[in-house]
Amino acid sequence: MKINVGVCGPIDLKLLNWKLKHEDLPDTNAFPLTSYYINALLKRGFKVTGYTNAPDLKEPKVLQCGNLTICIGTVKQKPGRRFFDFEIEALHKMIEANPADIISAFWTYEYALAALKTSIPTIVNIHDVALKILLKQPDMFRFVRWIMNYKSVSKANYLVANSSYTYRQLARPEQAKAVTINNFYTSDIETISEAIPAKGNYIVSVVQGFTKRKNIHGSLQAFAKVRALFPNLEYHLVGVDMEENGPAHQYAKQLGIADGVKFIGCLGFEDVVKETAGAKILVHPSYEESFGMAILEAMVAGTAVVGGDKSGFVPELLAHGKAGLLCDITSPDAMAEQIIRLLESEQLWRETVRYAKQHARKHFSEDVVINQHLALFSRVLARELIPKYAQGAYSPMPLPDTA
């Protein structure tokens, strides 16, 4: 009997490997990693039922293609004021109507809480540290998210921390039911990157929000110092709040440091990879990251990275300075110094990029990480899962250490 894996989370429908890829699909609350997780399971012969939601959808919708079924719930305005109760119940009804054998829920908020309302074995994947975010962004919305996170990690029987850093932030009772399985990168990043003919004369940051925690304030100040030595260098800003005349642009204009900065804003996944692959350096100024997908994508794409030496998982992701340069990202001077080092030394740049690619392939490739998820599924369901495409050659990997 073929196992049906449920995946409950933000899913980008256009990134899924199905024949409906180019259809008129609703815009969902999307997170690329969830889509690539589904693709990896489909590639291995599993049936997958995805549960997600779409802000502009008027009625729930179910799409089916081959081994993949996607159930899309509806969303109401200002969900935080209601603790996402409507969204949770809408997702819960979709799951009950279209059940799976096991559910992997991404993030510890509405998607996890909806899955945990069912009797289906549910694994909750932790992709951020809610308390750290609340302390950096103390507002009512983040307080609501922290409460939701507390409920889901307390109720869940099985937890996956997306990095050793995330695992260390859990209380002991949660650590006892958690394993560490890193995020992974899709081979699509390598394919897209190889099509970029040469590096452009720019550095880049990919960030979701102009907040204190993301610290684009500091990287803009650092770039102004770098540009004094490299007047033709550009700084490309990609992501939420990074558009022209957006919050980041307004800040830069107020300080008179917008020269040479290209405010790009949000892009699709493939275009983000192209921007990253075309850059000489990815600057990642965030104060705290539970993992750091933008960094991993840059490592795979052959772009050198500058990140924070105390920024959550970033030092471990960058192999403590071997796969990227680390610095005190609270200091624009320190950031500028490391950027300048990479720009001035081609040997340092090449050595850093080479090690980063090797490190990424060894620890964060799809095969390495998905096998660890399958090993956890086997334990939860008390049965061995053998991917169809690899029968006779596959041996289940042991669960990773939790420490």
Side-chain angles (χ1 to χ4, degrees), residues 47 60 89 98 102 112 115 123 139 143 162 165 175 204 224 231 276 288 313 327 345 347 373 393:
K47 292 180 66 176
E89 186 54 31
N98 303 272
I102 188 170
I123 299 166
D139 56 41
F143 178 70
N162 70 339
Y165 166 77
Q175 287 183 345
V204 68
T276 301
E288 187 265 348
F313 187 61
C327 65
S345 174
Q347 181 180 353
H373 280 281

Side-chain angles (χ1 to χ4, degrees), residues 192-354:
I192 296 167
S193 302
E194 288 167 359
I196 302 298
K199 293 289 184 183
N201 190 30
Y202 68 91
I203 63 176
V204 68
S205 288
V206 179
V207 64
Q208 302 305 316
F210 188 67
T211 64
K212 181 179 179 181
R213 174 172 168 257
K214 295 299 183 180
N215 191 34
I216 290 298
H217 312 73
S219 63
L220 281 166
Q221 294 175 46
F223 175 68
K225 298 175 184 295
V226 173
R227 203 162 189 263
L229 292 178
F230 298 90
N232 295 321
L233 185 71
E234 291 184 349
Y235 184 20
H236 293 189
L237 288 177
V238 178
V240 176
D241 293 340
M242 301 300 125
E243 67 277 3
E244 191 171 345
N245 294 320
H249 193 182
Q250 294 298 327
Y251 172 83
K253 286 194 293 187
Q254 288 172 7
L255 268 65
I257 54 175
D259 289 349
V261 184
K262 188 175 180 180
F263 297 90
I264 296 173
C266 294
L267 295 173
F269 178 74
E270 185 171 337
D271 289 329
V272 171
V273 174
K274 288 178 179 177
E275 272 292 328
T276 301
K280 293 180 177 179
I281 299 167
L282 176 104
V283 181
H284 195 80
S286 177
Y287 288 142
E288 187 265 348
E289 287 288 350
S290 64
F291 187 84
M293 283 302 298
I295 291 176
L296 178 58
E297 289 161 7
M299 292 164 65
V300 176
T303 298
V305 177
V306 172
D309 59 0
K310 295 181 177 64
S311 300
F313 187 61
V314 172
E316 294 173 73
L317 181 57
L318 291 176
H320 301 284
K322 294 179 181 178
L325 301 192
L326 298 169
C327 65
D328 175 9
I329 48 79
T330 65
S331 166
D333 287 334
M335 267 193 285
E337 180 182 346
Q338 297 297 59
I339 294 168
I340 290 168
R341 283 185 66 201
L342 286 168
L343 292 173
E344 289 183 336
S345 174
E346 184 175 348
Q347 181 180 353
L348 175 63
W349 187 91
R350 290 188 180 279
E351 288 177 353
T352 303
V353 167
R354 178 185 57 80

Side-chain angles (χ1 to χ4, degrees), residues 7-292:
V7 178
C8 191
I11 301 170
D12 190 331
L13 304 184
K14 296 178 177 63
L15 292 179
L16 296 172
N17 288 337
W18 59 352
K19 292 180 181 178
L20 303 181
K21 191 169 187 175
H22 303 293
E23 300 289 328
D24 185 19
L25 299 170
D27 290 327
T28 54
N29 292 316
F31 179 47
L33 184 67
T34 320
S35 300
Y36 285 111
Y37 182 77
I38 291 173
N39 290 342
L41 294 171
L42 292 171
K43 188 193 304 183
R44 288 156 178 79
F46 296 104
K47 292 180 66 176
V48 179
T49 300
Y51 311 101
T52 192
N53 47 25
D56 297 326
L57 202 64
K58 302 301 181 185
E59 298 290 338
K61 193 171 188 176
V62 178
L63 304 173
Q64 200 278 327
C65 182
N67 281 339
L68 177 60
T69 301
I70 296 292
C71 306
I72 312 169
T74 53
V75 174
K76 284 188 175 181
Q77 291 185 343
K78 300 179 179 179
R81 294 185 179 183
R82 297 174 279 97
F83 283 80
F84 289 76
D85 56 350
F86 175 85
E87 290 72 21
I88 292 168
E89 186 54 31
L91 287 163
H92 173 231
K93 288 179 179 177
M94 298 290 279
I95 297 170
E96 293 287 9
N98 303 272
D101 297 310
I102 188 170
I103 296 177
S104 188
F106 280 76
W107 289 0
T108 56
Y109 307 110
E110 64 269 31
Y111 301 104
L113 291 170
L116 290 169
K117 290 185 72 172
T118 73
S119 60
I120 300 171
T122 295
I123 299 166
V124 174
N125 294 267
I126 308 170
H127 280 269
D128 58 23
V129 182
L131 180 58
K132 292 279 186 180
I133 296 173
L134 174 61
L135 293 175
K136 290 291 183 183
Q137 296 173 236
D139 56 41
M140 186 54 66
F141 179 77
R142 294 298 173 184
F143 178 70
V144 168
R145 298 299 263 180
W146 173 72
I147 292 176
M148 295 171 71
N149 170 85
Y150 177 80
K151 288 181 178 179
S152 65
V153 298
S154 299
K155 186 175 182 179
N157 292 321
Y158 308 99
L159 297 171
V160 169
N162 70 339
S163 70
S164 56
Y165 166 77
T166 303
Y167 175 85
R168 291 193 296 269
Q169 308 312 305
L170 297 173
R172 286 190 177 181
E174 280 72 53
Q175 287 183 345
K177 53 187 180 180
V179 296
T180 299
I181 302 179
N182 292 313
N183 289 351
F184 70 94
Y185 69 88
T186 169
S187 59
D188 289 7
I189 295 174
E190 295 173 316
T191 303
I192 296 167
S193 302
E194 288 167 359
I196 302 298
K199 293 289 184 183
N201 190 30
Y202 68 91
I203 63 176
V204 68
S205 288
V206 179
V207 64
Q208 302 305 316
F210 188 67
T211 64
K212 181 179 179 181
R213 174 172 168 257
K214 295 299 183 180
N215 191 34
I216 290 298
H217 312 73
S219 63
L220 281 166
Q221 294 175 46
F223 175 68
K225 298 175 184 295
V226 173
R227 203 162 189 263
L229 292 178
F230 298 90
N232 295 321
L233 185 71
E234 291 184 349
Y235 184 20
H236 293 189
L237 288 177
V238 178
V240 176
D241 293 340
M242 301 300 125
E243 67 277 3
E244 191 171 345
N245 294 320
H249 193 182
Q250 294 298 327
Y251 172 83
K253 286 194 293 187
Q254 288 172 7
L255 268 65
I257 54 175
D259 289 349
V261 184
K262 188 175 180 180
F263 297 90
I264 296 173
C266 294
L267 295 173
F269 178 74
E270 185 171 337
D271 289 329
V272 171
V273 174
K274 288 178 179 177
E275 272 292 328
T276 301
K280 293 180 177 179
I281 299 167
L282 176 104
V283 181
H284 195 80
S286 177
Y287 288 142
E288 187 265 348
E289 287 288 350
S290 64
F291 187 84

